[in-house]
Amino acid sequence: MNKKMVPEVRFKGFIDDWEQHEMKNVLKKQYNGQTPSRSKSSFWNGTIDWLTSGELNRSIVTRTNEKITSNGQKNANLKIIPKGTFVIAITGLEAVGTRGNCALLGIDTTLNQSCMALFTDEKKLSPKFLFQWYRKYGNEYGIRYTQGTKQQSYNAEIINKLPINLPTLKEQKVINLLLSKVDIAITLQQRQLDLYIKLKKGLLQKLFPKDGEKVPEVRFTDFHGDWEQHKFQEILDKNNGIRRGPFGSSLKKDLFVKNSDYVVYEQQNAIYNNFHTRYFITKEKFQELIKFELNPGDFIMSGAGTIGKIAKVPNDIKKGVFNQALIRFRINNSIMDGRFFLQWMRSEFMQRRLTSSNPGSAIVNLIPMSELKKWTVIVPKRDEQKVLGKILNKLDSTIALQHEQLDELKSLKKYLLQKLFI
């Protein structure tokens, strides 16, 4: 008995099998563009949009990075592709970031040679449905059907042979409507998140003094006077302020055990502000490395690769030690407020100071800890720190909530793409 061609989740009222087609049976034509000569300045900086594959955002394209003139359009014999057309990337598909890239045009535009517009037979296939379908299958098809060894690409012949399963136009319309609403919700949520991130960045610039200044540009009315000058080591615990993780040989993976009450904290804990762990050590190894123990209220900073990312150790962590890729700070609580210290260390001006480039090199390094201790820094009195730390911490919580809501919407979209198509 043949398996019915129906999706796992379906809207009420639709019972017919979906039909399998080759793309050539549901497309009217295909078109890919070109690049006008770069040597002719008269071809560029005009008023005609010109779209590249790198701008295909798996959403709706509403602007292009470059524009061409009518002379540039004539030089490359480019057609204006109308708003509402579905476009895919056809070259560079060996790269994960390019494979599956697509967009619906929200503007009339010309294309470069790495983009292909697919014009559907709208009696059989809606461009919006094709767009949603490709967002599910584009990556998989980019692996399975492209040609080339080093550089993988589509051509018109390959695209014509791609298989696609289709419901009736009426069912396509219902699926489009639902997925479009989810896309709009994702877009609005992303904008909301971006606004909060921008607000946080602006506050950090205003609430902390600029280089060479001793007071911030914006300040709460109860606080006056210059911020206080300290050596960096003075704001840390006198006996155990800074410690780098143990030498790699002291904490190699072959020393890890399958399970125990003692864990190893890694760079990813600081980078992602997440204290889930992967590795365990014995009680004996923990005792041997006791000076590298992490305690609630400590701060850890990434010291290799992605450097300078800092997180505060929460109260409910498992007993454990930090590895060689981390630096641990303990603050002097009589001078520093913990929430303020975290925000201060994450601020743009502190991150600039913490990371530096070798002369003549693009390699970014973390400043040596021996140098860091000798830094002269300025901080407000602890009462003002507490106010600033509380406000910025609340904003961080709001940003985290916005991230969670965005992730939930993206998970919903992924689920729907998996269940509504075959």
Side-chain angles (χ1 to χ4, degrees), residues 123-321:
K123 293 179 181 178
K124 298 176 182 177
L125 174 59
S126 158
K128 292 180 180 178
F129 183 87
L130 179 58
F131 168 58
Q132 300 291 356
W133 172 87
Y134 195 79
R135 288 169 82 179
K136 177 180 180 181
Y137 287 108
N139 190 65
E140 177 189 332
Y141 275 33
I143 296 170
R144 187 188 300 180
Y145 294 106
T146 52
Q147 68 175 12
T149 51
K150 291 184 178 179
Q151 287 193 325
Q152 294 163 357
S153 60
Y154 282 131
N155 57 35
E157 184 180 355
I158 293 172
I159 289 173
N160 277 331
K161 292 179 179 178
L162 295 180
I164 182 170
N165 297 314
L166 294 178
T168 63
L169 278 174
K170 187 176 180 181
E171 188 170 359
Q172 289 180 39
K173 185 176 180 180
V174 174
I175 292 170
N176 291 341
L177 184 61
L178 173 63
L179 295 178
S180 295
K181 285 183 177 179
V182 177
D183 285 340
I184 290 168
I186 288 171
T187 299
L188 292 175
Q189 184 61 37
Q190 182 67 63
R191 286 178 187 167
Q192 181 108 329
L193 173 60
D194 292 343
L195 283 173
Y196 277 113
I197 291 172
K198 187 177 180 181
L199 173 62
K200 170 76 182 292
K201 184 176 180 181
L203 282 175
L204 287 174
Q205 290 173 345
K206 300 291 186 181
L207 294 174
F208 290 85
K210 294 178 180 177
D211 289 344
E213 301 290 329
K214 292 185 178 181
V215 293
E217 189 176 335
V218 173
R219 202 170 193 187
F220 294 95
T221 54
D222 293 339
F223 302 107
H224 310 279
D226 291 352
W227 283 24
E228 298 175 341
Q229 186 171 291
H230 294 275
K231 292 295 183 184
F232 192 86
Q233 62 184 2
E234 294 172 2
I235 67 173
L236 301 176
D237 181 81
K238 186 176 180 180
N239 299 315
N240 209 352
I242 301 180
R243 187 173 294 279
R244 188 139 202 168
F247 288 114
S249 58
S250 301
L251 203 55
K252 295 185 294 186
K253 285 189 178 181
D254 58 9
L255 296 170
F256 297 162
V257 295
K258 191 172 182 180
N259 202 2
S260 85
D261 292 329
Y262 303 92
V263 299
V264 177
Y265 292 98
E266 308 171 77
Q267 181 148 306
Q268 65 181 22
N269 300 122
I271 294 171
Y272 301 109
N273 194 22
N274 183 314
F275 284 80
H276 294 305
T277 54
R278 301 183 294 171
Y279 302 119
F280 300 88
I281 54 174
T282 63
K283 182 178 181 179
E284 291 73 25
K285 191 65 182 175
F286 173 74
Q287 293 294 343
E288 178 189 327
L289 297 173
I290 193 68
K291 66 182 179 180
F292 301 102
E293 181 184 8
L294 271 191
N295 293 328
D298 286 347
F299 298 85
I300 53 173
M301 185 170 70
S302 55
T306 303
I307 62 175
K309 298 294 184 182
I310 188 166
K312 186 178 181 181
V313 179
N315 291 327
D316 56 351
I317 62 159
K318 297 176 182 176
K319 273 193 170 296
V321 297

Side-chain angles (χ1 to χ4, degrees), residues 62-112:
T62 57
R63 60 178 297 277
T64 61
N65 292 333
E66 293 184 278
K67 295 180 185 289
I68 59 173
T69 63
S70 56
N71 286 335
Q73 182 189 356
K74 289 174 187 175
N75 170 261
N77 194 27
L78 291 172
K79 297 178 181 178
I80 303 288
I81 308 304
K83 176 180 177 179
T85 306
F86 175 63
V87 179
I88 64 172
I90 59 171
T91 62
L93 304 185
E94 71 283 351
V96 174
T98 304
R99 189 168 55 242
N101 272 6
C102 64
L104 270 180
L105 296 183
I107 52 173
D108 298 340
T109 184
T110 57
L111 308 176
N112 83 344

